[in-house]
Amino acid sequence: MEYSEPIDQDFYQSNFNTDEGQDMYNYGISSHPYHSNISPPEDLMFPEQPYLGQILHPLSVTGSLHSDPDSFDDEPPLLEELGINFQHIQQKTLTVLNPLKQTDGSIMNETDLTGPVVFCLALGATLLLAGKVHFGYVYGISAIGCLGMYTLLNVMSRIEVSCGCVASVLGYCLLPMVSLSSFAVFFSLQSIFGIVLAVIVIGWCSLSASKIFVATLAMDGQQLLIAYPCALLYGVFALLTVF
């Protein structure tokens, strides 16, 4: 036997009507107790728009994407970021190969160590092919020679020169010595012909280096003074190559 009491509508003092309780579960807008006639703003409405582009050719997006500073289209080439410019390498190489040509003073404004490193590796490789493992001597003599020339040029010149510029000039002028070392792979230089050829290469390297230093640092009339320490440096490389 079930016992039920009539619900006192005045006990809770509310506007809830039990007869209309079932209507509260109706999710229609018309029966919602907090429904109002205020429509949502247009910014919250997302009407479906037809896609006008093609699959392989999407619509171009205008706006902040084109002005993105991190866009890869505006990035410089990788070789330029690494400081490798083949045109400058070719120009400096041709200047060394032709020591009698007039040298432009601005040729060494940009420090480039790509060519010198390649020439040092080539010198060590050709010495290795001749049966001489002298990679340590090549880099050690190069470092000491660059520091000595850097100190000497800063004392003699009114224009301050950087150590990278000195290393770049001395490294590019090492190219004739690489040719001498390549010749020593096939022929012995321990003869009168080899010694004469080594002296010619030493003069070639010294003349090219001193000419570039004079043109870059505006040291007119001091080429012989600069060529002498350069000849001493390249003479050590010649001794490694001949003997």
Side-chain angles (χ1 to χ4, degrees):
M1 179 176 181
E2 296 181 359
Y3 178 76
S4 61
E5 293 183 359
I7 300 175
D8 191 0
Q9 299 290 339
D10 298 333
F11 181 77
Y12 296 101
Q13 297 296 326
S14 63
N15 295 327
F16 182 78
N17 190 1
T18 57
D19 296 336
E20 298 178 357
Q22 299 296 330
D23 296 337
M24 297 297 293
Y25 296 97
N26 187 5
Y27 294 98
I29 299 178
S30 60
S31 61
H32 198 280
Y34 299 103
H35 173 69
S36 62
N37 295 327
I38 300 176
S39 60
E42 295 181 357
D43 296 340
L44 300 178
M45 300 177 65
F46 303 96
E48 296 183 357
Q49 297 180 357
Y51 181 73
L52 302 179
Q54 299 179 3
I55 296 178
L56 299 179
H57 302 282
L59 293 176
S60 60
V61 180
T62 58
S64 61
L65 293 180
H66 290 282
S67 59
D68 188 7
D70 298 332
S71 178
F72 290 101
D73 297 335
D74 300 333
E75 291 290 333
L78 179 60
L79 295 179
E80 184 177 346
E81 290 185 350
L82 295 177
I84 301 175
N85 192 328
F86 291 104
Q87 184 178 1
H88 291 173
I89 294 175
Q90 180 182 5
Q91 182 182 2
K92 295 174 183 178
T93 303
L94 294 177
T95 302
V96 173
L97 293 178
N98 189 6
L100 301 179
K101 182 181 178 181
Q102 187 68 25
T103 304
D104 187 7
S106 61
I107 189 174
M108 287 298 168
N109 289 341
E110 182 180 355
T111 303
D112 177 24
L113 296 179
T114 305
V117 171
V118 173
F119 294 154
C120 286
L121 289 174
L123 180 60
T126 52
L127 290 175
L128 182 62
L129 292 177
K132 304 173 184 177
V133 185
H134 293 329
F135 280 98
Y137 291 105
V138 170
Y139 286 105
I141 295 172
S142 300
I144 296 174
C146 290
L147 291 177
M149 288 298 301
Y150 168 73
T151 305
L152 181 63
L153 290 175
N154 281 326
V155 171
M156 297 176 60
S157 175
R158 298 179 180 177
I159 303 175
E160 184 178 358
V161 62
S162 63
C163 187
C165 180
V166 174
S168 180
V169 174
L170 295 178
Y172 273 105
C173 294
L174 195 64
L175 180 58
M177 194 63 63
V178 176
S179 302
L180 179 65
S181 179
S182 301
F183 185 81
V185 176
F186 305 99
F187 305 98
S188 176
L189 297 178
Q190 297 181 9
S191 60
I192 298 178
F193 174 75
I195 294 175
V196 172
L197 184 60
V199 171
I200 293 175
V201 171
I202 292 173
W204 189 350
C205 297
S206 304
L207 180 60
S208 300
S210 60
K211 182 187 65 173
I212 295 176
F213 282 133
V214 168
T216 304
L217 302 176
M219 301 173 63
D220 298 333
Q222 302 182 22
Q223 184 172 359
L224 292 177
L225 296 176
I226 301 175
Y228 176 70
C230 293
L232 295 178
L233 175 61
Y234 292 114
V236 178
F237 288 113
L239 291 175
L240 292 177
T241 304
V242 175
F243 302 101

